[in-house]
Amino acid sequence: AGSAGGTVLAAAVAVTAVALAVAAWRRARPVREVLFFPSPPSCIEALLAEAAEPGTPARPCTCPLPSGDTALSRLVRRLLSARRSLDLCLFSFSCPQLARTVQLLHRRGVRVRLVTDSLYMGLHGSQIGRLRHAGIQVRHDQHSGYMHHKFAIVDRKMLITGSLNWTTQAIQSNRENVLVVEDAEYVKAFQDEFERIWEEYNPANYSFF
Amino acid sequence: AGSAGGTVLAAAVAVTAVALAVAAWRRARPVREVLFFPSPPSCIEALLAEAAEPGTPARPCTCPLPSGDTALSRLVRRLLSARRSLDLCLFSFSCPQLARTVQLLHRRGVRVRLVTDSLYMGLHGSQIGRLRHAGIQVRHDQHSGYMHHKFAIVDRKMLITGSLNWTTQAIQSNRENVLVVEDAEYVKAFQDEFERIWEEYNPANYSFF
């Protein structure tokens, strides 16, 4: 009986070790994903509720939209994975769902910085004012050329970039692509570009007041 | 003397072997590049001349623009590396320099296919008409949403994608990014998207005539 007990114990230890190794490998495996739009109109309330209060079962949303797996829900999930920082460089930002996602991260203590284009910032439906009201740092260009980037960097380690402006029209109607890349070389290039722009658009340097 | 000759021969063989190995490794190493714009106005005549008639010394261009290494010249070099195919999926295409690059590839026997947005295709300065005249296959959307992609695939193996529309304004004035990625997984995702769009925009399916 002692020998059988020992065998069972050894087997349990082996199974646990394998499970831990698989989990570690999954965590360590860099994220690689391509999202294509248009994405059908979908509800992300359950995702936001789970992110706001982890572990609490989400109450079903009463809106008529489906809440399945879409390009938008995948993008939101990637953003919600932020723990420390979110750097955003967005030509235009008018999608309320993505604005709520960013606000939630800000409330959760993630350091959010947002660079945008000065012309598109003031357009009807822009979410920039709302994000500023919420206390999120926003900087914008002051030149004639457009700040046309559309990228996000999560925790200085995951790059989300592509053709997609963060507008509901683009998400639901346009042919668009978004690459999700966890690759130190690409991330560094974009992080450096972000820091250059962040400094260049420092309000202390604005000349048009 | 025989022994010294043998040593010299062995050393020469070793040096050659190392040089060949380095060259093979360089060729095999996948391209990874990030280009940021704006790119200063620059002359790409020497690049085009060399691509049109390899080996012939290029006559110096008489235009006043510098012909150094810029984001534009790097983009052109990547495109000119095409040997078999070039698949283009571009929201707007009005840059004459990039149009000449694509035409040169077409003349050199590279199979060029171009998908574009129906609305932007007819705008002032668009190069689409010129490319069609040159015999390049062009297809466009017929829906209300924009075909907003801005990517190119060279020889079904190198992906060039980002925020950059192929317009002189964007190249010279905007903050833009272009990723160059030689990675089978990302390339396949975009190649599949290209083929889907190419079929969907088949003129046989157009309904607005």
Side-chain angles (χ1 to χ4, degrees), chain B residues 114 139 159 166:
Chain B
L114 169 53
R139 295 186 177 180
L159 170 66
W166 285 20

Side-chain angles (χ1 to χ4, degrees), chain A residues 32 148 175-176 183 200, chain B residues 32 148 175-176 183 200:
Chain A
R32 301 162 60 83
H148 201 244
R175 289 274 188 171
E176 305 274 6
D183 174 296
E200 187 182 320
Chain B
R32 301 162 61 82
H148 201 243
R175 288 275 188 172
E176 306 272 6
D183 174 297
E200 187 182 320

Side-chain angles (χ1 to χ4, degrees), chain A residues 10-130:
Chain A
V13 167
V15 165
T16 309
V18 167
L20 285 174
V22 167
W25 177 75
R26 282 221 173 126
R27 261 200 309 279
R29 204 174 160 200
V31 171
R32 301 162 60 83
E33 193 172 21
V34 183
L35 306 174
F36 289 112
F37 296 77
S39 179
S42 62
C43 175
I44 60 163
E45 293 310 309
L47 279 180
L48 294 178
E50 165 65 23
E53 293 180 74
T56 315
R59 270 176 299 180
C61 181
T62 54
C63 83
L65 295 175
S67 59
D69 181 43
T70 62
L72 174 64
S73 75
R74 284 172 178 237
L75 174 58
V76 168
R77 265 179 212 283
R78 293 297 179 202
L79 294 170
L80 289 176
S81 75
R83 291 294 170 266
R84 289 175 303 282
S85 67
L86 179 65
D87 293 321
L88 300 169
C89 208
L90 296 166
F91 174 54
S92 63
F93 189 167
S94 61
C95 171
Q97 292 175 304
L98 289 173
R100 289 187 53 214
T101 304
V102 171
Q103 269 185 278
L104 193 156
L105 290 171
H106 172 66
R107 276 201 305 275
R108 219 165 66 182
V110 171
R111 183 198 183 200
V112 179
R113 294 185 292 173
L114 169 53
V115 166
T116 191
D117 185 76
S118 57
L119 193 68
Y120 275 68
M121 176 170 72
L123 288 194
H124 180 73
S126 169
Q127 297 290 315
I128 302 294
R130 173 178 172 177

